[in-house]
Amino acid sequence: MIIDTLDNAALYYGLGPKFIKTFEYLAQTDFSKLEKGKYEVDGTDIIAIVNEYETIDPAGEQMESHKKYIDVQYIHKGKELIGHDFMLEKKPSKAYDEASDYMLFAERPSFFSRLEAGYFAIFFPTDLHMPNLRADGPEQVKKVVMKVSVN
């Protein structure tokens, strides 16, 4: 996993052309004018999911991971905590759902990171993550989750 600010995105261009296109999209799009929804940036290879929500309490939440897509989670407005951990030997509490590309893990995260406007986190398939958590209490967040295909 990687956590940084969009100002430093060029440092991660070495991850490949899909990441270059992903970061360019994040830098060039005015998300204050973009409605919630799913947007194809490059067919099914790069998808943007724009969401607005109130952050939640972590009690009862589970970590997730994906196999087909790498998540680039970018905070446009607000702040939140994201719990995260390494998959290692952990067993899923909900088996992988291929249609939805996710599985859940009941263990509590070993780490929590605070992401504010302008920050992004990259979660690879072996990175477990629990997003949308309250940092200092409930807060409205606008976030863009870029789904970057593994293949």
Side-chain angles (χ1 to χ4, degrees):
M1 73 196 67
I2 296 170
I3 298 172
D4 207 337
T5 64
L6 196 55
D7 290 340
N8 293 327
L11 296 172
Y12 308 101
Y13 284 5
L15 293 171
K18 291 180 195 175
F19 283 92
I20 295 170
K21 190 173 242 181
T22 295
F23 287 123
E24 287 175 347
Y25 178 82
L26 289 172
Q28 296 168 3
T29 304
D30 183 354
F31 293 108
S32 65
K33 296 179 180 171
L34 204 58
E35 296 292 321
K36 287 172 54 173
K38 189 174 182 178
Y39 302 87
E40 286 188 5
V41 176
D42 188 9
T44 58
D45 278 343
I46 304 172
I47 299 167
I49 301 169
V50 178
N51 202 3
E52 294 182 74
Y53 52 86
E54 185 173 287
T55 54
I56 57 174
D57 188 291
E61 294 298 307
Q62 296 189 50
M63 291 187 290
E64 63 184 43
S65 79
H66 315 282
K67 290 185 179 183
K68 294 179 189 175
Y69 288 95
I70 298 163
D71 274 7
V72 179
Q73 298 196 13
Y74 170 70
I75 305 294
H76 170 69
K77 185 181 103 190
K79 63 182 171 295
E80 70 178 44
L81 292 181
I82 295 183
H84 47 96
D85 210 333
F86 303 102
M87 187 180 293
L88 301 173
E89 307 277 327
K90 294 176 178 63
K91 303 287 186 228
S93 58
K94 180 185 182 311
Y96 179 69
D97 179 331
E98 187 168 348
S100 299
D101 186 39
Y102 82 98
M103 58 187 145
L104 296 176
F105 295 80
E107 290 88 355
R108 302 315 311 158
S110 295
F111 312 98
F112 288 87
S113 294
R114 179 185 179 113
L115 273 66
E116 299 182 6
Y119 280 77
F120 68 85
I122 302 175
F123 296 105
F124 296 94
T126 56
D127 298 330
L128 305 180
H129 51 287
M130 181 189 292
N132 309 354
L133 305 178
R134 293 177 181 161
D136 302 318
E139 181 166 344
Q140 282 299 120
V141 170
K142 186 166 191 178
K143 178 163 66 175
V144 182
V145 177
M146 302 296 295
K147 297 290 197 173
V148 180
S149 69
V150 171
N151 297 329

